[in-house]
Amino acid sequence: MEKKTFVTKEQLEEIIKTYPTPFHLYDEKGIRENAKAMKEAFSWNKGFKEYFAVKANANPFLINLLREYGFGCDCSSYTELMLSEAIGCVGEDIMFSSNDTPTEDFQYAAQLGATINLDDITHIDFLEKAIGKIPERISCRFNPGGIFEVCNGIMDNPGDAKYGMTEEQIFDAFRILKEKGSKEFGIHAFLASNTVTNEYYPMLAKKLFELAVRLEKETGAKICFINLSGGVGIPYTPDQEPNDIRAIGEGVHRVYDEVLVPAGMGDVAIYSELGRFMMGPYGCLVTTAIHEKHTHKDYIGLDACAVNLMRPAMYGAYHHITVMGKENLPLDHKYDVTGSLCENNDKFAVDRMLPEIQKGDILVIHDTGAHGFAMGYNYNGKLKSAELLLKEDGSVQLIRRAEKPSDYFATFDCFDFYEKLVEKQNK
């Protein structure tokens, strides 16, 4: 099954006349349709709220699209809190889920009225010292340890993860927090990453719902919400079937009725913190082939590199590639598709079968809407690319300009040397 692009070659040729490659392009229509589906999938739960994982894509234009559907922000740092406040997202619209958290981050989160999700039992004292009290509304992150197996061989290893409290610790934490004045409690957990199955959320939900029943019974803490966090993934490879968020929502509903309702906890709100699922398929990296090299292997060199999309270089992640205008040609050429960094792992694909590529061909690298631009960096003095939004009416909006050399040099104390250099070059 071939993955389809949400933009045509003709559209890209027009866009490139104004905005040269490389750039990240996002699909407004796809984002909106997905947000609507997410809301519908959990409409059975009166208190449901999706907190978009800002770390996945911190562009305020895109986050504001989700805000139109009542979504909040899941933040993990001071700067992400700043961004959320800047777009009017404050109070219970912010879930602050952090680890190894600095004092000032807790202080800012409390100032904004965010719901703070504690990663460790020792953070209770740390938070109290940081803000002078324990909030009335608080959440704790749970890590059961061991291996979490979903189905069809999909598993993850919470026991190796640095996040969350043990079962014994979360019981102790709830008792301590209750003694210190907390009145509204939540539970949070993230046990598997990028699952492409409709079973993950219902399985996680059952585990958390059963824990919630015991916590409320044994500690007397009033549990108001259960945060299923992220982990619902996307099909990066063409052979994978995408998750059905409505089926996922119904699966969670079924477990909710089985576990929480009989326990008298039918008023508990369900939260999620999806980033990849909300935005991933609705972004792509658009790049141009600028070199070809034939040595021990055949290489295609692009004007994009790992600073534009780090995932393949970082851990060999697969991102599908479409050579625009050649979608129906045979995949009869084997290439390593590379960028220009002085690192051998700067490859978008290794031994990938593609149609024959010529210099000047436009390539679309799929599924970069989450953990794409957001993971960018400036190694080798490379500058981050522009971000564009393909609007529902077919027009294109620049939602982040490309970096300039002046941006790269701006944080140096001796910034004047850059201005002198430009002066010299302009003579």
Side-chain angles (χ1 to χ4, degrees), residues 133-248:
K133 62 179 181 178
I134 290 295
E136 290 192 0
R137 179 181 173 86
I138 197 80
S139 176
C140 291
R141 183 167 184 167
F142 172 58
N143 183 336
I147 300 290
F148 186 77
E149 187 165 357
V150 186
C151 65
N152 300 325
I154 296 174
M155 61 178 64
D156 221 318
N157 188 358
D160 258 0
K162 66 175 182 174
Y163 311 105
M165 306 180 194
T166 66
E167 185 169 310
E168 182 182 354
Q169 287 172 339
I170 201 169
F171 273 85
D172 288 344
F174 270 47
R175 291 187 184 102
I176 295 167
L177 290 164
K178 189 168 181 285
E179 286 173 9
K180 289 179 177 290
S182 293
K183 294 182 172 62
E184 298 180 5
F185 290 80
I187 309 171
H188 172 287
F190 182 104
L191 302 188
S193 181
N194 194 39
T195 59
V196 189
T197 168
N198 296 333
E199 301 305 316
Y200 168 61
Y201 250 19
M203 289 182 71
L204 171 64
K206 185 175 183 184
K207 197 171 192 68
L208 292 184
F209 294 168
E210 290 171 348
L211 177 66
V213 171
R214 288 192 292 121
L215 275 167
E216 190 162 290
K217 182 180 178 183
E218 295 180 32
T219 69
K222 173 61 179 172
I223 295 178
C224 298
F225 64 88
I226 294 173
N227 189 337
L228 302 178
S229 188
V232 176
I234 62 173
Y236 283 102
T237 59
D239 60 312
Q240 291 178 307
E241 284 293 323
N243 285 318
D244 181 344
I245 196 61
R246 291 179 176 85
I248 290 170

Side-chain angles (χ1 to χ4, degrees), residues 6-19:
F6 58 78
V7 63
T8 67
K9 182 187 178 188
E10 291 70 30
Q11 284 175 302
L12 287 177
E13 286 171 340
E14 275 304 305
I15 293 169
I16 290 168
K17 289 176 184 176
T18 306
Y19 304 106

Side-chain angles (χ1 to χ4, degrees), residues 27-79:
D27 176 22
E28 180 183 8
K29 182 181 178 184
I31 293 168
R32 288 188 179 279
E33 287 177 352
N34 198 38
K36 289 175 192 171
M38 186 74 194
K39 277 195 77 170
E40 289 170 13
F42 288 89
S43 59
W44 54 268
N45 183 259
K46 187 178 178 183
F48 172 74
K49 195 172 189 71
E50 153 69 4
Y51 290 86
F52 175 69
V54 174
K55 63 180 174 288
N57 191 320
N59 193 298
F61 287 87
L62 302 178
I63 296 172
N64 269 330
L65 291 181
L66 300 179
R67 295 276 295 141
E68 291 180 29
Y69 299 89
F71 295 178
C73 290
D74 161 38
C75 299
S76 59
S77 71
Y78 194 99
T79 313

Side-chain angles (χ1 to χ4, degrees), residues 180-409:
K180 289 179 177 290
S182 293
K183 294 182 172 62
E184 298 180 5
F185 290 80
I187 309 171
H188 172 287
F190 182 104
L191 302 188
S193 181
N194 194 39
T195 59
V196 189
T197 168
N198 296 333
E199 301 305 316
Y200 168 61
Y201 250 19
M203 289 182 71
L204 171 64
K206 185 175 183 184
K207 197 171 192 68
L208 292 184
F209 294 168
E210 290 171 348
L211 177 66
V213 171
R214 288 192 292 121
L215 275 167
E216 190 162 290
K217 182 180 178 183
E218 295 180 32
T219 69
K222 173 61 179 172
I223 295 178
C224 298
F225 64 88
I226 294 173
N227 189 337
L228 302 178
S229 188
V232 176
I234 62 173
Y236 283 102
T237 59
D239 60 312
Q240 291 178 307
E241 284 293 323
N243 285 318
D244 181 344
I245 196 61
R246 291 179 176 85
I248 290 170
E250 192 47 48
V252 175
H253 189 183
R254 185 174 59 253
V255 180
Y256 188 98
D257 287 347
E258 288 173 6
V259 179
L260 290 181
V261 173
M265 298 174 67
D267 59 345
V268 172
I270 301 300
Y271 296 162
S272 59
E273 292 174 349
L274 298 180
R276 192 191 317 262
F277 180 81
M278 295 310 307
M279 206 72 77
Y282 313 108
C284 63
L285 176 60
V286 181
T287 177
T288 302
I290 58 173
H291 288 287
E292 57 180 298
K293 180 177 181 177
H294 306 284
T295 53
H296 304 291
K297 301 182 80 172
D298 290 336
Y299 297 93
I300 293 295
L302 306 181
D303 59 3
C305 63
V307 305
N308 306 111
L309 179 62
M310 187 193 227
R311 296 183 74 252
M314 188 177 185
Y315 40 80
Y318 180 96
H319 280 263
H320 199 65
I321 296 174
T322 296
V323 185
M324 299 304 287
K326 297 183 176 181
E327 294 87 343
N328 298 318
L329 295 184
L331 308 179
D332 55 3
H333 284 64
K334 184 189 288 187
Y335 294 114
D336 280 14
V337 182
T338 74
S340 59
L341 292 187
C342 299
E343 296 292 339
N344 196 46
N345 67 349
D346 181 20
K347 296 178 180 180
F348 295 107
V350 175
D351 293 334
R352 184 75 58 87
M353 297 305 298
L354 293 165
E356 185 177 10
I357 299 173
Q358 277 88 32
K359 286 184 279 188
D361 280 346
I362 302 167
L363 279 67
V364 164
I365 302 177
H366 293 248
D367 301 315
T368 70
H371 311 290
F373 183 96
M375 293 176 74
Y377 54 108
N378 290 117
Y379 183 57
N380 271 183
K382 294 293 185 178
L383 303 175
K384 295 177 189 174
S385 58
E387 292 184 290
L388 310 175
L389 179 64
L390 179 63
K391 297 178 74 69
E392 287 185 294
D393 63 6
S395 64
V396 172
Q397 179 182 357
L398 178 68
I399 57 174
R400 191 195 301 260
R401 66 164 174 80
E403 283 186 334
K404 303 172 183 176
S406 56
D407 298 312
Y408 179 79
F409 290 103

